[in-house]
Amino acid sequence: MSDAPDPDFATRARLAGVLYLIIIVAGLGAELGVRGPLIDLDDAPGTAAAVLAAPGLFRLGIAADIVMAVCDAGLAILLYLIFRAVAPALALSAMVFRLIQTVLIAANLMALQTAWLLLSGAAAAPQTQSLALVFLDLHGYGYDLGLVFFGINSLMTGVLIMRSGFFARIFGIGLIAAGIVYLIGSGLRFFAPELLSVFIPLYGITIIAELAFCLRLLFQRAT
């Protein structure tokens, strides 16, 4: 590995690792731990009943996504500061694409809030439940739209890692693989949703790659 770019490298890397870990826990928790058990896009009445039976859990998912978005913005800036000495234009581009993803995912939370407002209204009719399900489905599309930009960011970050010499090249290869998975998965969501269920297991690559890089940042030693 080459020397760190500046005296603050280790501090920035460890802080980036902390934010990255929060992002992973909050993001997976919101999607798999909260929305996964509550939402069935093929069952509007069942989804309405599940959400209304656990309003705190549903709101917790929204709160987790807000925390994730805030941390993501901070992580985008820190990664730019870490890699700007390697390739300033590429590091800046990666930051911009990650921030676009952050804004899209944060704004997309309004779809969840709209669904909640519809379902929590007095005696929600079947038509209202169906409309709420549309907004819950729309949230999924909005999330994947954000992941298009995140996929591009992952490709750029992977290249930066491989060019920097600050970290082992395997971390860069992992993020490049993750970026490809995000781009293909988001493309399937919009253009071939019938194939998405077959592709979903490959998202395990993204979890492994991002968690590995997160831990590498978290345990960066002082120089």
Side-chain angles (χ1 to χ4, degrees):
M1 293 185 184
S2 65
D3 292 335
D6 59 60
D8 296 324
F9 174 77
T11 300
R12 288 170 177 167
R14 289 196 293 267
L15 180 55
V18 171
L19 293 180
Y20 217 147
L21 186 60
I22 294 172
I23 290 165
I24 292 171
V25 172
L28 290 179
E31 280 296 302
L32 302 180
V34 175
R35 287 188 284 272
L38 295 180
I39 298 173
D40 182 352
L41 295 177
D42 295 319
D43 183 6
T47 296
V51 170
L52 291 175
L57 187 62
F58 186 79
R59 289 169 172 167
L60 179 62
I62 296 176
D65 274 337
I66 292 173
V67 170
M68 180 182 69
V70 171
C71 291
D72 224 344
L75 179 59
I77 296 169
L78 283 170
L79 290 178
Y80 166 71
L81 294 175
I82 289 171
F83 290 113
R84 63 180 173 179
V86 177
L90 184 59
L92 179 61
S93 298
M95 181 182 70
V96 169
F97 273 92
R98 189 168 193 129
L99 288 175
I100 292 173
Q101 175 247 187
T102 301
V103 170
L104 285 173
I105 287 182
N108 190 45
L109 293 176
M110 295 308 297
L112 292 179
Q113 184 63 23
T114 301
W116 168 251
L117 292 175
L118 288 168
L119 292 175
S120 61
Q127 295 89 341
T128 304
Q129 295 174 355
S130 297
L131 181 59
L133 200 66
V134 170
F135 278 101
L136 293 173
D137 195 19
L138 181 63
H139 172 264
Y141 280 94
Y143 205 96
D144 271 289
L145 179 59
L147 290 180
V148 171
F149 293 90
F150 185 57
I152 296 172
N153 163 269
S154 297
L155 295 177
M156 293 178 174
T157 304
V159 171
L160 286 167
I161 291 172
M162 296 179 70
R163 290 177 58 180
S164 70
F166 305 149
F167 310 103
R169 290 171 63 87
I170 189 63
F171 295 107
I173 294 171
L175 286 188
I176 289 172
I180 293 171
V181 170
Y182 282 129
L183 291 172
I184 294 175
S186 293
L188 291 176
R189 162 81 77 166
F190 283 96
F191 305 113
E194 68 278 3
L195 301 177
L196 188 57
S197 61
V198 178
F199 186 79
I200 282 177
L202 291 179
Y203 277 96
I205 294 173
T206 69
I207 296 174
I208 294 171
E210 290 193 73
L211 183 58
F213 184 50
C214 163
L215 294 176
R216 175 62 184 85
L217 290 168
L218 196 58
F219 293 102
Q220 173 64 41
R221 294 181 180 178
T223 55

